Amino acid sequence: MKKIAVIGSINMDMTATADRIPQKGETISATSIAYVPGGKGANQAVAAARLGGDVTMFGCVGTDPFGKELIANLKNNGICTDYIDELPGQSSGLAMIVVAENDNVITVIPGANQYVTKEYVDRYKEEILQADIVLMQNEIPAETIRYAAEMLHKAGKTVIYNPAPAQTADSDLVAYSTYLTPNEHEARIVLADPDSPLEALMKQYDGKLIITLGSKGAAAAKDGQIVRIPARKARVVDTTGAGDTMNGAFAYALSVDMAFEEALHFANAAAALSIEKAGAQTGMPSREAVQAKLAE
Ligand code: RIB
């Protein structure tokens, strides 16, 4: 099995469940509140590890009580946390989430995630290069992502870049990425192309660009043909972390040598299962659960 590394964010999610998403300037009452581990990086690491992947997390937390809890959560999921820095005087990343109407709104306070710098990557270069497959997202500084992607590309590693939340990227970063996994909105921003039909974009980045389409599943091009992966039926409880599950599961699938299309089907089924429970990580499935879903 190939080794997976995630260089990314580690957050505590403060998740309020409400009957609807509040309007601008409005105050509404939530029906419940929960503090659960999240962060796009940590979520993707947990998704891959729960499926049985060999995962190491690279990132930073603060020395607040959340930091210890977030590291313990990763360890409990079987993830190597040896290279996570605990930064004195910094707060751990925090996400304020409202879940309602089968959707969510999220505000992230980056805290210690801002300190996943180029220097951090240099400090753990040897350990990062132990991995075969590396996942990154946009909740750490942009210059770190570009720097690490260049290093990893030159070392012949598989780089999965999930450009979420949406952020522009230079064409080099796109070139250094083996796979790009945006949603439609993020795709247009990361590729700086507001107009081209999605199919044309996918064909331009054949075998690289995987577009997640929410309740419509995912799509990509392979060998000039569009591959559509329809969403699987799910009882929606909380969609937070569905994209992260897709990314982590795709990395896992590659780590056990699944072919491109099979890996997409596997990741898509994992994402469907993940939205049936509250919290980003709670519903992330085991390999057996995904296989059962695929057999349905
Ligand atoms: O993708 C979902 C994640 O985005 C949440 O867990 C939250 O921490 C934000 O980073």
Side-chain angles (χ1 to χ4, degrees):
M1 184 191 299
K2 296 188 172 104
K3 287 167 88 70
I4 299 169
V6 180
I7 309 174
S9 58
I10 308 169
N11 295 337
M12 180 60 79
D13 289 355
M14 191 176 82
T15 302
T17 303
D19 293 332
R20 59 187 177 80
I21 305 276
Q23 304 288 310
K24 189 175 173 185
E26 189 188 19
T27 302
I28 62 165
S29 288
T31 50
S32 67
I33 181 80
Y35 285 80
V36 286
K40 294 188 191 302
N43 291 345
Q44 295 181 18
V46 169
R50 216 167 270 172
L51 291 161
D54 176 351
V55 185
T56 302
M57 179 80 210
F58 292 88
C60 296
V61 295
T63 45
D64 53 355
F66 285 158
K68 295 251 174 292
E69 197 179 329
L70 292 168
I71 291 178
N73 170 64
L74 292 167
K75 273 196 186 134
N76 290 340
N77 278 283
I79 295 164
C80 171
T81 61
D82 293 354
Y83 316 112
I84 296 178
D85 281 356
E86 293 180 68
L87 306 178
Q90 297 299 329
S91 304
S92 300
L94 183 74
M96 298 189 314
I97 305 180
V98 178
V99 172
E101 305 171 50
N102 285 352
D103 213 327
N104 61 48
V105 285
I106 305 180
T107 305
V108 173
I109 301 102
N113 295 309
Q114 300 170 76
Y115 297 93
V116 185
T117 56
K118 293 201 283 188
E119 292 70 33
Y120 172 91
V121 170
D122 281 340
R123 194 153 63 247
Y124 295 118
K125 183 173 175 178
E126 208 177 297
E127 291 80 6
I128 293 170
L129 288 173
Q130 299 291 313
D132 306 289
I133 300 166
V134 181
L135 278 154
M136 293 189 285
Q137 322 72 26
N138 280 340
E139 288 186 334
I140 56 171
E143 61 171 17
T144 309
I145 298 164
R146 193 194 178 288
Y147 182 71
E150 181 173 6
M151 173 186 97
L152 293 161
H153 173 74
K154 287 185 176 158
K157 306 295 178 181
T158 297
V159 177
I160 305 175
Y161 172 40
N162 172 222
Q167 193 168 282
T168 52
D170 65 19
S171 53
D172 285 346
L173 175 53
V174 172
Y176 297 145
S177 304
T178 319
Y179 300 103
L180 276 178
T181 59
N183 63 24
E184 182 176 347
H185 167 69
E186 293 154 358
R188 299 209 172 278
I189 293 175
V190 73
L191 299 171
D193 188 332
D195 302 319
S196 301
L198 281 188
E199 292 204 354
L201 276 183
M202 289 189 274
K203 285 186 177 166
Q204 187 182 345
Y205 297 97
D206 191 301
K208 173 189 287 243
L209 178 63
I210 299 162
I211 302 188
T212 56
L213 299 164
S215 60
K216 295 199 202 89
K222 187 71 183 157
D223 302 326
Q225 301 298 315
I226 298 293
V227 180
R228 290 195 183 280
I229 316 287
R232 294 192 165 253
K233 272 203 184 127
R235 295 175 307 275
V236 183
V237 174
D238 183 357
T239 57
T240 313
D244 298 331
T245 307
M246 174 97 192
N247 278 277
F250 182 65
Y252 166 76
L254 296 180
S255 81
V256 292
D257 294 327
M258 281 188 213
F260 183 72
E261 208 172 321
E262 186 188 1
L264 286 182
H265 278 287
F266 183 89
N268 184 54
L273 286 164
S274 76
I275 63 178
E276 295 193 334
K277 292 198 179 127
Q281 297 175 11
T282 321
M284 287 175 176
S286 64
R287 183 186 171 117
E288 294 69 32
V290 177
Q291 282 166 336
K293 186 84 181 166
L294 284 167
E296 267 174 16

